[in-house]
Amino acid sequence: MKILGTHIPPVALSGAILAMMTTAVVYSPTLYEMFCAATGYGGTVSVNRPLRADLNEAGPPITVRFDANISPGLKWDFRPAQRDVQTRIGLPTTVYYHATNTSDETLVGRATFNVTPESAGYFFNKTECFCFVEQKLAPGESAEMPIVFFVDPEMLDDVDAKGIRTITLSYTFFRQTSDEDAIASARSLREGSERQKQDLAIAETAEFSIRAPHVR
């Protein structure tokens, strides 16, 4: 294939297109969700795994850091309950994010997430969370959102990721249209998070989302 008289190998061209699409959609939650659904990128495949792992079978220690961001115009206080946790590869670990609407009106937000380093992100598996769906908080309302994750032991066999011992999970909330219709159709972030916490308290297994390139 030629562009402007220059021959570009198909693999290189595909990589360039993927990079441009990823850069474009990261700034649009709606486009990001459509892109993930179409390609499997970003965590749309799920597997069922036990929540109670055997410590004797867990892998080496690993640090997972947590980041939270808010786009301009969304008056929420959004933060992780913990800046980082020390866990072990293969061990399911529960963490929390907090969100509070600091404005005097009901606001709708929509979150995306990212895992870095990218090579480790393919092995970072988590329960479905508060991403890619319109979520609302009333004035002064707060929510405590649980996330259960584990790092797949297969990472230890990956040539690019086996030496990684620090991973960062980052979320960004974007403000969405918050008119009467949008508020009526949005999910309650507080109520949904409470139901998830109750379910996790009695569950023996959970659905973990994984990135498509990690599927064997």
Side-chain angles (χ1 to χ4, degrees):
M1 182 176 182
K2 293 184 178 180
I3 298 178
L4 299 180
T6 301
H7 179 71
I8 301 178
V11 173
L13 180 60
S14 298
I17 293 174
L18 177 62
M20 288 187 292
M21 290 178 66
T22 304
T23 301
V25 301
V26 73
Y27 295 104
S28 170
T30 301
L31 288 177
Y32 188 88
E33 181 182 23
M34 293 170 61
F35 176 62
C36 289
T39 65
Y41 181 88
T44 59
V45 181
S46 64
V47 294
N48 191 277
R49 294 290 176 85
L51 285 173
R52 313 292 184 258
D54 187 344
L55 286 174
N56 294 323
E57 298 179 359
I62 190 165
T63 299
V64 180
R65 296 174 177 169
F66 305 96
D67 181 49
N69 304 281
I70 290 286
S71 69
L74 183 60
K75 295 181 180 180
W76 287 7
D77 175 25
F78 175 52
R79 54 187 170 79
Q82 57 291 295
R83 288 298 176 185
D84 58 69
V85 296
Q86 306 291 321
T87 186
R88 295 172 67 179
I89 292 176
L91 185 68
T93 304
T94 302
V95 297
Y96 292 89
Y97 273 76
H98 293 284
T100 300
N101 182 352
T102 60
S103 76
D104 58 1
E105 59 180 325
T106 298
L107 295 176
V108 178
R110 188 181 178 104
T112 64
F113 78 93
N114 185 49
V115 179
T116 55
E118 180 66 22
S119 56
Y122 294 132
F123 303 96
F124 188 91
N125 307 320
K126 64 179 183 61
T127 52
E128 291 299 328
C129 56
F130 45 87
C131 285
F132 311 128
V133 176
E134 280 75 11
Q135 310 270 7
K136 62 186 174 184
L137 285 175
E141 188 175 38
S142 296
E144 183 181 54
M145 299 90 80
I147 299 169
V148 185
F149 70 87
F150 75 93
V151 179
D152 197 313
E154 289 186 10
M155 189 179 79
L156 299 173
D157 298 322
D158 185 86
V159 64
D160 296 318
K162 62 183 179 181
I164 294 173
R165 291 297 179 268
T166 301
I167 296 175
T168 299
L169 173 63
S170 179
Y171 286 93
T172 300
F173 254 111
F174 296 84
R175 177 167 179 169
Q176 304 296 291
T177 300
S178 298
D179 58 23
E180 185 175 342
D181 290 338
I183 291 172
S185 62
R187 296 182 184 178
S188 168
L189 183 55
R190 181 186 62 80
E191 293 177 2
S193 298
E194 288 299 320
R195 284 194 299 269
Q196 188 178 17
K197 285 193 293 183
Q198 292 171 7
D199 291 342
L200 287 172
I202 60 175
E204 295 184 357
T205 64
E207 290 288 330
F208 290 89
S209 60
I210 62 176
R211 294 193 176 191
H214 178 42
V215 177
R216 296 292 187 257

